[in-house]
Amino acid sequence: MRSSTRVLALIPSFLLLTIEPAVCQPEQKPAAFYVVADYDEGRDPAVDLKATVERAQFEGKRILLEVGGVWCGWCKLLDGFIHDHPAVSGKLEAGFLIMKVNWSRENPNEAFLGQYPTIRGYPHIFVLGKDGAFLHSQNTAELEEGRSYNEEVLLAFLDEWMPSSTGHTS
């Protein structure tokens, strides 16, 4: 009876040790190039785009509308990939602002997204000029490799749409 009491007494301590590291880790702060860093059903993307365009014009950067949702595993993978690959995040910092746009059954943002080409999968990226003008629709499946993204392909995509690489000022 005594040995079983000791084992039971150790269980709460063990649980605290296994839970504590996750609780104590600081939350990751989104990179500065995110104007809207979360897929939020309550946000108005038209209002967000207006603010993003103002900042893009001031900073001379292009806008990447990243369409997806909290339900989207590949969206989460893309966030992690950007965070874990300094070359990618550095290129984004140099020439782009990211504005996430929610798409979900509860709020598909049809009025806003209806002004852009049809989306066939998520996440999806629309490249806009610093003035908010549509430039390109990017299926992110083309940026994938296996169960992740391909750094070389993603960097080539960003190079292609960097403001200075096209000669366009928008």
Side-chain angles (χ1 to χ4, degrees), residues 59-81:
E59 295 182 23
K61 295 182 177 181
R62 291 225 166 125
I63 300 165
L64 301 179
L65 298 182
E66 186 182 316
V67 185
V70 295
W71 51 266
C72 172
W74 280 98
C75 299
K76 293 172 188 170
L77 276 171
L78 182 57
D79 285 346
F81 190 88

Side-chain angles (χ1 to χ4, degrees), residues 27-41 43-45 48-49 51-52 55 63-72 74-80 82-83 92-93 96-103 123:
E27 189 174 315
Q28 273 183 359
K29 182 179 176 188
F33 50 79
Y34 284 100
V35 178
V36 177
D38 298 309
Y39 297 111
D40 182 345
E41 293 178 0
R43 294 189 74 97
D44 181 344
D48 289 339
L49 183 57
T52 303
R55 183 172 159 192
I63 300 165
L64 301 179
L65 298 182
E66 186 182 316
V67 185
V70 295
W71 51 266
C72 172
W74 280 98
C75 299
K76 293 172 188 170
L77 276 171
L78 182 57
D79 285 346
I82 290 169
H83 179 268
L92 288 166
E93 182 70 35
F96 300 93
L97 297 175
I98 295 177
M99 179 186 127
K100 289 188 177 183
V101 178
N102 178 75
W103 184 95

Side-chain angles (χ1 to χ4, degrees), residues 29-163:
K29 182 179 176 188
F33 50 79
Y34 284 100
V35 178
V36 177
D38 298 309
Y39 297 111
D40 182 345
E41 293 178 0
R43 294 189 74 97
D44 181 344
V47 171
D48 289 339
L49 183 57
K50 183 177 180 193
T52 303
V53 166
E54 288 176 12
R55 183 172 159 192
Q57 289 178 333
F58 179 76
E59 295 182 23
K61 295 182 177 181
R62 291 225 166 125
I63 300 165
L64 301 179
L65 298 182
E66 186 182 316
V67 185
V70 295
W71 51 266
C72 172
W74 280 98
C75 299
K76 293 172 188 170
L77 276 171
L78 182 57
D79 285 346
F81 190 88
I82 290 169
H83 179 268
D84 294 343
H85 291 81
V88 174
S89 56
K91 186 109 20 200
L92 288 166
E93 182 70 35
F96 300 93
L97 297 175
I98 295 177
M99 179 186 127
K100 289 188 177 183
V101 178
N102 178 75
W103 184 95
S104 63
R105 288 186 179 124
E106 297 76 21
N107 185 1
N109 279 310
E110 291 172 315
F112 181 79
L113 293 173
Q115 64 188 317
Y116 300 106
T118 302
I119 295 172
R120 305 221 183 277
Y122 298 94
H124 190 88
I125 297 172
F126 292 115
V127 181
L128 309 181
K130 68 180 180 182
D131 60 356
F134 171 79
L135 300 174
H136 178 71
S137 178
Q138 181 63 49
N139 179 347
T140 58
E142 297 168 6
L143 308 175
E144 296 170 8
E145 180 177 56
R147 302 282 308 142
S148 187
Y149 291 89
N150 180 306
E151 183 176 25
E152 190 175 305
V153 173
L154 191 49
L155 287 170
F157 162 72
L158 294 174
D159 282 340
E160 181 179 354
W161 293 103
M162 266 297 214

Side-chain angles (χ1 to χ4, degrees), residues 10-21:
L10 292 175
I11 290 174
S13 299
F14 172 73
L15 289 175
L16 286 174
L17 290 174
T18 58
I19 294 171
E20 186 176 353

